[in-house]
Amino acid sequence: FLAREVIDLGKGTTRLKFQILKASSASRNPDPLPVEGATILISETDIEMETDINGEAVIKIKRGTYTGKINKAGFQDILIETFQIKQGETKNFTFTMIPIV
């Protein structure tokens, strides 16, 4: 009993929430701006999704261990390091993309 993990299947959907921002170099508006159309790929699955106009994406996924990648033309790729997610958990990620000059 002590070595088992109790999973409450009624707990809800397991999901990843992403917010992708653009690094800003403007002195008048130093706040990062959302990146629309960035592709998020979860490597251990066939899941690929693009961010919306607010730079956000929500991916429903099964519990497990994953890695990933975020890319968009004109920006440096971002590698998502290994992470674990449990059943019913929601993980929030915020990444800032750097434009290629």
Side-chain angles (χ1 to χ4, degrees):
F1 177 77
L2 296 176
R4 296 184 184 159
E5 178 182 355
V6 177
I7 299 172
D8 180 5
L9 295 178
K11 211 174 189 183
T13 305
T14 304
R15 67 181 95 206
L16 307 173
K17 288 186 175 183
F18 289 89
Q19 169 128 38
I20 310 301
L21 304 170
K22 173 186 175 186
S24 176
S25 59
S27 58
R28 291 188 314 175
N29 184 13
D31 295 332
L33 302 171
V35 177
E36 179 181 4
T39 302
I40 301 167
L41 172 68
I42 305 301
S43 301
E44 294 75 13
T45 69
D46 291 331
I47 298 174
E48 188 173 305
M49 180 173 272
E50 287 191 357
T51 55
D52 64 13
I53 194 167
N54 298 315
E56 298 175 347
V58 177
I59 298 173
K60 292 181 183 177
I61 198 164
K62 295 180 181 178
R63 69 185 172 116
T65 302
Y66 299 98
T67 59
K69 183 177 179 179
I70 303 169
N71 59 39
K72 179 171 171 84
F75 291 89
Q76 293 178 7
D77 291 352
I78 296 174
L79 297 177
I80 303 170
E81 296 183 14
T82 304
F83 65 92
Q84 290 185 341
I85 188 161
K86 297 178 182 177
Q87 181 67 34
E89 183 178 14
T90 297
K91 280 205 181 275
N92 295 302
F93 295 94
T94 300
F95 293 100
T96 302
M97 298 191 85
I98 300 172
I100 297 171
V101 189

